[in-house]
């Protein structure tokens, strides 16, 4: 083939620009730390990367959901525990008050303490997580238990003003967990039993105190224990979910990093190699374009 | 026996040829870097020998040479390579333009990133999850509105950017067409000059080079056919109709849809019939306008419409913080058909069906301007006698769960899948276009090298020729000196005997 000056110059310029283009690309990748700068750099990896990124963001949401759920349930558990202790104390008082040797004055004093305990129970039933009443169903902005006093200043009744709606969170795609126990399901029975006990103590009705009152208190204890075990199971489940989400998150992030992050060592090596090639092409170029027949004619 | 002076003539012809050779060589050297220049060579031939016809001719060894004649100054050109180059140049123009378009679209979508539609969508659905956790919290409600607005703005911004390619493509096609018309005029004029020179027996080498360059530029713009006629005239045709017919041209014009202002195609000014560009830059530009951009715009419209339709359906089923039914969340910002004041009932209930607003919905999607933080419908239970259920986040959760619902492509993919699909296809198409563009460039480069191997100037070669002609010139001059001395011998020294 007849080789002309123009051919050689064009070929060289082409090589220079191709080498520079590669160096530029490596530089960009090193500068951004990202392997993919445009979808066309690697279309299939781009799709994978986008869905992995979306996955990571979604998992973060689930983790927040689960954590807020655990906080909610732990608070519920603390409250129920306290309810159990209060009932136990009431039971002690009932046994004390059922003794026929006790003077009515002492029984009145016991009734006084029960009133205090009822107040405390109302406080517990109105406990909040953040600004939300946890035993109010979905009416979380209103204290769910309202006391009603009689003329003597005793609590006549405690009314539940919440509803029976569910507070639900999503812990994985399509998987939901109900967090709340409406106050009516736990507290109404307890309040009824407590008020009846107090009234029986005040009236000196020992048979009721040692009979139906005690058994109602026992029923209430059972109810609370049952609810606590449900709450405990849910906490367990959410804790497991949390650690599983943590694992998935770690795995997804590792995969994402493999897809989108550069291998710095490899890239720097490639860059160096490319620089060497570029220098070589410049070297060769400077030798190729200089001489012509004119240099050798005197 | 020829005349004594005939040798002068032979030597003079040699001198002349050598000088012309120098001219041709220096012309080549001067144009070594001129684009499109083809090297020229001096074509020499021995002159017709003198034949003395007649019975009384002297017996001799045969015919006697009469020196050298300059036959022609030829342009070195391979028409086959040239025609290949013209065709491949069209294909390269096509893929290069397409690559540029794809690169622009890729830039506009800006994926993968933390600022594009995919991210905004995740953020919006994330804010709904947060709302389902804390439906009473005004700040969280505010965030939902903001993220919704960011998502709507992102979609409409990207839509408008992609849409703006229409305008720039239309402008480009306009420019290319007027360039094509003026190239046609130049070629027609060159046809005339070239024919004149040819008919006078000359060789219009430099004019031919110039015309070849113009034709190559035309090929890049659109796939033209080059049809040689007599006297080195060429006709240039598109779809078999002559754009350049000898010395005349038939201009083409851009066919613009008056209602949308975007270019649809090309047509002949004279007949009004359409022109099909199957290659070249214009073909790529028209394809961009008529196929590519509508595809991406349609996808964005689908996404925006289905997103709005589904979110609205659930949102309007729910109840806000004050127990009022939720209205539309996303609206077409051109026609906000929503209640005018909080609590006021809607005089024109909004149909959930957007069919009348389908057109360019992605461009105008926005969050219902009458929504405020309290009016985001997070609850799905209606209020009862004792008031709204402020802690009910189940409607927000239902909206958040749309992120995982297979809604797009008749129930085959989620919103995120659908959008990933758009970006994936864009990546594949763009990669393919740039691959085609690169390999086509390699083909054109090869052909250019081939062309250059035949037509290019080699300086070494020219210098060699220079020396060769210099020596020829010197030798011819020497012949004259020798003859001169011979004549001097004859005229001054011969025949001294009778003096």
């Amino acid at each position: 083939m007849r080789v002309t000056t123009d051919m050689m110059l064009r070929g060289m310029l082409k090589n220079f620009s191709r080498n520079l283009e590669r160096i530029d690309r490596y530089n960009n990748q090193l500068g951004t730390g990202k392997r993919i700068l445009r979808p066309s750099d690697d279309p299939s990896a781009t799709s994978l990367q986008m869905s992995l990124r979306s996955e990571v963001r979604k998992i973060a949401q689930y983790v927040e959901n689960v954590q807020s759920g655990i906080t909610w349930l732990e608070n519920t558990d603390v409250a129920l525990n306290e309810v159990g202790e209060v009932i136990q104390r009431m039971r002690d008082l009932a046994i004390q008050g059922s003794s026929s040797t006790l003077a009515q004055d002492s029984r009145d004093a016991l009734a006084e303490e029960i009133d205090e305990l009822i107040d405390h129970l109302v406080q517990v039933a109105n406990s909040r997580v953040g600004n939300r009443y946890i035993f109010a169903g979905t009416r979380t902005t209103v204290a769910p238990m309202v006391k009603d006093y009689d003329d003597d200043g005793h609590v006549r009744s405690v009314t539940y003003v919440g509803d029976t709606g569910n507070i639900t969170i999503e812990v994985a795609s399509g998987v939901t967990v109900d967090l709340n126990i409406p106050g009516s399901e736990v507290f109404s029975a307890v309040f009824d039993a407590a008020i009846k006990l107090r009234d029986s103590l005040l009236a000196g009705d020992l048979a009721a105190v040692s009979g139906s009152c005690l058994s109602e208190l026992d029923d209430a204890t059972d109810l609370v224990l049952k609810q606590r075990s449900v709450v405990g199971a849910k906490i367990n489940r959410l804790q497991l979910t949390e650690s599983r989400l943590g694992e998935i998150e770690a795995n997804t992030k590792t995969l994402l990093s493999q897809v989108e992050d550069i291998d710095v060592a490899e890239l720097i090596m490639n860059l160096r190699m490319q620089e060497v090639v570029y220098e070589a092409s410049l070297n060769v170029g400077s030798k190729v374009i200089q001489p012509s027949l004119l240099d050798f004619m005197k | 026996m020829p005349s004594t002076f005939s040798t002068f003539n032979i030597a003079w012809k040699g001198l002349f040829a050598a000088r012309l050779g120098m001219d041709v060589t220096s012309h080549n050297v001067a144009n070594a870097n001129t684009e499109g220049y083809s090297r020229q060579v001096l074509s020499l031939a021995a002159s017709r020998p003198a034949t003395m016809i007649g019975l009384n001719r002297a017996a001799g060894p045969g015919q006697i040479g009469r020196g050298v004649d300059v036959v022609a100054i030829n342009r070195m050109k391979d028409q086959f390579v040239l025609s290949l180059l013209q065709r491949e140049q069209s294909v390269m123009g096509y893929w290069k333009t397409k690559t540029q378009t794809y690169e622009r679209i890729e830039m506009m979508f800006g994926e993968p990133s933390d600022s594009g539609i995919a991210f905004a969508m995740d953020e919006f659905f994330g804010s709904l999850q947060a709302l389902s956790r804390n439906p009473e919290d005004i700040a969280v409600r505010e965030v939902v509105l903001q993220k919704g607005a960011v998502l709507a703005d992102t979609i409409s911004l990207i839509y408008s950017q992609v849409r703006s390619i229409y305008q720039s493509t239309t402008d480009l096609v306009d420019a290319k067409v007027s360039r094509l018309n003026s190239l046609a005029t130049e070629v027609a004029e060159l046809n005339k000059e070239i024919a004149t020179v040819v008919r006078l027996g000359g060789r219009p080498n430099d004019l031919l080079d110039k015309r070849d360059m113009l034709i190559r530029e035309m090929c890049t713009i659109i796939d033209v056919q080059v049809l040689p006629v007599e006297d080195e005239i060429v006709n240039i045709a598109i779809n078999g109709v002559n754009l350049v017919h000898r010395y005349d041209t038939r201009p083409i014009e851009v066919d613009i849809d008056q209602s949308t202002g975007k270019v649809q195609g090309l047509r002949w000014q004279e007949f009004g019939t359409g022109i099909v560009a199957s290659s070249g830059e214009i073909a790529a530009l028209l394809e961009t306008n008529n196929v590519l951009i509508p595809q991406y715009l349609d996808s964005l419209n689908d996404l925006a419409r289905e997103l709005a339709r589904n979110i609205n359906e659930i949102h309007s089923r729910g109840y806000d913080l004050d127990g009022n039914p939720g209205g539309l969340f996303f609206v077409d910002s051109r026609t906000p058909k929503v209640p005018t004041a909080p609590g006021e009932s809607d005089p024109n209930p909004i149909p959930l069906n957007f069919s009348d607003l389908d057109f360019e919905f992605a461009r105008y999607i926005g969050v219902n301007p009458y929504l405020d933080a309290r009016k985001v419908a997070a609850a799905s239970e209606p209020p009862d006698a004792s008031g709204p259920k402020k802690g009910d986040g189940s409607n927000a959760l239902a909206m958040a769960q749309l992120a995982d619902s297979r809604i797009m492509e008749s129930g085959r993919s989620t919103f995120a899948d659908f959008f990933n699909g758009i970006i994936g296809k864009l990546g594949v198409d763009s990669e393919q276009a740039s691959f085609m563009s690169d390999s086509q460039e390699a083909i054109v480069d090869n052909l250019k090298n081939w062309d250059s191997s035949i037509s290019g100037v080699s300086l070494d070669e020219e210098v060699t020729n220079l020396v060769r002609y210099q020596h020829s010139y010197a030798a011819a001059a020497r012949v004259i000196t020798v003859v001169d001395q011979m004549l001097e011998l004859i005229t001054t020294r011969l025949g001294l005997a009778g003096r």
Side-chain angles (χ1 to χ4, degrees):
Chain A
M1 195 179 197
R2 180 173 171 272
V3 177
T4 63
T5 322
D6 173 55
M7 263 161 85
M8 279 169 51
L9 287 177
R10 208 178 32 231
M12 256 177 44
L13 286 175
K14 187 106 208 156
N15 287 336
F16 288 166
S17 83
R18 197 177 303 146
N19 285 332
L20 269 182
E21 215 172 279
R22 282 198 201 122
I23 288 180
D24 181 54
R25 192 173 140 78
Y26 290 140
N27 259 334
N28 270 334
Q29 289 183 334
L30 269 178
T32 57
K34 298 285 174 224
R35 207 167 62 79
I36 305 166
L37 303 172
R38 293 184 320 179
S40 54
D41 288 343
D42 190 340
S44 56
T46 304
S47 271
L48 184 59
Q49 180 196 8
M50 284 176 67
S51 49
L52 287 175
R53 274 197 192 184
S54 182
E55 194 61 36
V56 168
R57 290 191 282 257
K58 220 182 276 171
I59 290 171
Q61 279 301 330
Y62 291 143
V63 168
E64 277 188 48
N65 287 356
V66 168
Q67 283 170 347
S68 78
I70 290 175
T71 309
W72 178 287
L73 288 169
E74 278 173 352
N75 274 286
T76 307
D77 190 52
V78 167
L80 289 178
N81 184 35
E82 215 163 325
V83 173
E85 279 170 13
V86 168
I87 295 175
Q88 190 53 47
R89 177 66 189 150
M90 284 181 178
R91 208 173 174 282
D92 292 348
L93 294 176
I95 290 169
Q96 227 179 306
S98 66
S99 162
S100 53
T101 58
L102 206 65
Q104 184 59 32
D105 278 358
S106 308
R107 276 194 203 101
D108 289 349
L110 291 179
E112 197 79 18
E113 191 179 343
I114 301 253
D115 257 343
E116 295 292 328
L117 288 175
I118 291 174
D119 263 357
H120 183 62
L121 269 182
V122 169
Q123 255 180 41
V124 172
N126 287 344
S127 24
R128 293 193 290 184
V129 173
N131 288 324
R132 315 179 76 189
Y133 290 96
I134 54 179
F135 292 110
T138 56
R139 217 182 298 286
T140 52
T141 50
V142 183
M145 294 298 171
V146 180
K147 287 178 286 188
D148 185 22
Y149 296 96
D150 62 15
D151 299 339
D152 302 331
H154 292 302
V155 174
R156 185 193 300 154
S157 64
V158 179
T159 325
Y160 178 63
V161 297
D163 59 20
T164 53
N166 286 327
I167 303 290
T168 311
I169 54 162
E170 193 179 29
V171 296
S173 176
V175 181
T176 55
V177 174
D178 291 338
L179 294 179
N180 66 319
I181 304 164
S184 52
E185 285 178 19
V186 189
F187 290 94
S188 296
V190 181
F191 283 125
D192 287 351
I195 289 168
K196 190 172 169 196
L197 173 62
R198 184 205 58 203
D199 289 348
S200 303
L201 282 173
L202 284 175
D205 185 350
L206 296 189
V209 171
S210 60
S212 60
C213 281
L214 263 186
S215 72
E216 271 177 43
L217 282 176
D218 286 345
D219 288 349
T221 308
D222 284 351
L223 186 67
V224 170
L225 282 178
K226 209 174 85 190
Q227 295 286 13
R228 272 195 79 189
S229 68
V230 171
V231 169
K234 279 184 184 170
I235 292 178
N236 255 334
R237 177 180 167 194
L238 289 190
Q239 279 167 344
L240 282 177
T241 310
E242 191 185 11
S243 65
R244 195 168 46 83
L245 283 172
E247 275 170 36
I248 297 175
E249 189 179 21
N251 289 342
T252 315
K253 279 185 173 164
T254 310
L255 199 54
L256 181 60
S257 157
Q258 281 169 7
V259 172
E260 71 175 4
D261 292 341
I262 51 163
D263 180 338
V264 177
E266 187 191 332
L267 199 57
I268 289 180
M269 210 178 70
N270 284 343
L271 183 64
R272 286 277 167 272
M273 260 158 63
Q274 201 54 53
E275 277 169 1
V276 169
V277 171
Y278 180 58
E279 275 166 29
S281 71
L282 287 177
N283 237 323
V284 170
S286 70
K287 294 213 169 88
V288 161
I289 52 173
Q290 267 179 352
S292 88
L293 189 54
L294 290 168
D295 297 320
F296 301 94
M297 286 177 36
K298 289 281 150 8
Chain B
M1 204 38 200
S3 142
T4 322
F5 294 105
S6 67
T7 316
F8 265 134
N9 205 39
I10 296 173
W12 172 79
K13 278 180 160 176
L15 273 182
F16 179 76
R19 254 212 44 226
L20 210 56
M22 297 267 221
D23 274 359
V24 171
T25 303
S26 51
H27 187 53
N28 283 342
V29 170
N31 282 298
N33 295 320
T34 306
E35 181 151 25
Y37 178 78
S38 309
R39 92 189 139 106
Q40 297 175 8
V41 260
L42 192 63
S43 168
L44 298 173
S47 306
R48 265 182 81 81
T51 319
M52 281 155 290
I53 299 167
L55 290 173
N56 60 343
R57 77 187 158 98
Q63 291 184 324
I64 297 161
R66 300 264 48 123
V68 67
D69 276 342
V70 174
V71 181
I73 298 170
N74 283 321
R75 176 175 88 121
M76 296 305 287
K77 198 84 205 168
D78 187 323
Q79 288 299 329
F80 175 63
V81 176
L82 186 66
S83 66
L84 283 183
L85 194 53
Q86 284 163 352
R87 197 170 64 220
E88 299 302 336
Q89 202 112 25
S90 289
V91 182
M92 186 175 82
Y94 174 82
W95 285 112
K96 274 204 159 164
T97 307
K98 245 184 143 176
T99 307
Q100 283 163 5
T101 308
Y102 277 123
E103 275 173 9
R104 277 182 72 186
I105 301 177
E106 278 187 293
M107 244 158 58
M108 288 167 173
F109 274 102
E111 301 285 357
S113 78
D114 281 348
S115 58
I117 291 179
F119 182 73
M121 224 153 42
D122 284 346
E123 289 274 285
F124 175 62
F125 285 119
S127 73
L128 286 170
Q129 286 276 3
L131 179 62
S132 82
R133 289 195 302 267
N134 292 299
E136 319 82 341
D137 194 332
I138 290 288
V140 173
R141 294 173 159 265
E142 203 68 64
V143 171
V144 171
L145 285 182
Q146 279 167 15
K147 298 291 182 189
V150 169
L151 175 57
D153 289 351
T154 309
I155 293 178
S156 96
L157 177 73
I158 290 176
Y159 184 92
S160 307
Q161 281 181 333
V162 175
R163 198 178 178 285
S164 74
I165 296 181
Y166 276 147
Q167 191 51 51
S168 54
T169 310
T170 304
D171 294 347
L172 252 175
V173 172
D174 234 7
K176 296 280 176 202
V177 165
S178 55
R179 177 72 188 140
L180 195 60
N181 282 333
S182 77
L183 283 170
T185 314
E186 284 182 62
V187 168
E189 272 165 18
L190 278 171
N191 269 347
K192 195 188 280 179
E193 286 180 51
I194 286 167
T196 314
V197 175
V198 170
R199 281 169 198 154
L200 289 174
R203 298 221 175 205
N205 291 334
D206 296 324
L207 294 177
L208 289 173
D209 279 347
K210 196 173 164 197
R211 195 180 62 187
D212 285 345
M213 283 276 291
L214 296 177
I215 292 174
R216 241 164 69 183
E217 196 184 335
M218 289 175 116
C219 287
T220 310
I221 296 176
I222 195 169
D223 50 325
V224 295
Q225 297 102 43
V226 183
L227 314 160
V229 243
E230 81 285 340
D231 294 339
E232 298 276 8
I233 293 173
V234 291
N235 287 343
I236 309 259
I238 305 174
N239 299 158
V241 179
N242 280 348
L243 172 67
V244 176
H245 185 76
R246 292 170 176 271
Y247 314 146
D248 295 320
T249 58
R250 190 176 279 134
I252 56 183
E253 62 181 12
V254 182
D255 182 6
I256 290 180
D257 180 347
Q258 291 305 329
S259 61
T260 60
K262 70 179 201 197
V263 64
Q264 288 177 309
L266 308 179
R267 63 180 175 216
W268 297 106
Q269 226 169 57
E270 192 179 338
F271 327 113
T273 49
I275 296 169
V276 183
S278 48
S279 191
E281 292 167 341
I282 283 187
L285 290 172
L286 290 177
E287 206 179 301
T288 299
N289 251 17
N290 297 331
V291 184
L292 222 72
I293 301 303
Q295 253 175 27
Y296 286 101
L297 294 184
D298 280 354
S299 298
L300 283 176
N301 271 330
D302 283 351
L303 180 70
R305 200 172 49 240
E306 289 306 316
L307 189 73
R309 204 199 299 273
N310 285 281
I311 289 282
N312 283 350
E313 198 188 325
I314 296 176
H315 189 262
S316 59
R317 270 206 312 255
Y319 297 90
D320 68 12
L321 203 52
D322 300 310
N324 295 316
L328 295 186
F329 190 89
F330 288 115
V331 291
D332 185 317
S333 58
R334 285 170 295 188
T335 49
K337 297 190 218 161
V338 284
T340 45
E344 206 171 280
S345 71
D346 187 353
N348 321 298
I350 314 112
L352 285 172
N353 191 349
F354 268 98
S355 61
D356 56 332
L357 306 173
D358 274 355
F359 181 60
E360 296 214 297
F361 182 66
R363 190 177 175 191
Y364 298 107
I365 185 175
V367 169
N368 188 339
Y370 293 100
L371 276 186
D372 58 30
R374 297 189 73 82
K375 301 183 94 176
V376 174
S380 53
E381 290 294 316
D384 54 21
S386 40
K389 316 222 162 179
K390 298 186 178 178
D392 180 6
S394 51
N395 206 47
L397 184 59
M399 288 190 273
Q401 284 175 326
L402 283 176
D404 293 325
S405 312
R406 300 193 177 279
I407 291 168
M408 304 303 294
E409 298 175 292
S410 30
R412 279 204 304 276
S413 58
T414 65
F415 294 124
D417 291 344
F418 179 72
F419 186 70
N420 273 2
I422 300 176
I423 298 300
K425 185 177 180 312
L426 176 61
V428 171
D429 287 350
S430 174
E431 189 193 30
Q432 191 221 0
S434 93
F435 173 77
M436 289 303 289
S437 173
D438 285 351
S439 54
Q440 197 56 37
E441 205 176 334
I443 293 175
V444 168
D445 277 347
N446 259 331
L447 286 171
K448 274 187 180 164
N449 272 348
W450 193 353
D451 180 61
S452 177
S453 165
I454 294 155
S455 307
V457 175
S458 158
L459 287 177
D460 290 346
E461 193 179 289
E462 298 306 326
V463 171
T464 311
N465 282 341
L466 206 60
V467 173
R468 179 201 291 181
Y469 290 129
Q470 190 187 14
H471 284 306
S472 301
Y473 191 85
R478 174 68 54 179
V479 170
I480 293 177
T481 318
V482 169
V483 175
D484 179 44
Q485 281 173 1
M486 278 165 51
L487 288 174
E488 190 190 358
L489 181 78
I490 292 166
T491 50
T492 58
R493 304 215 332 249
L494 208 65
L496 283 178
R499 237 181 4 186

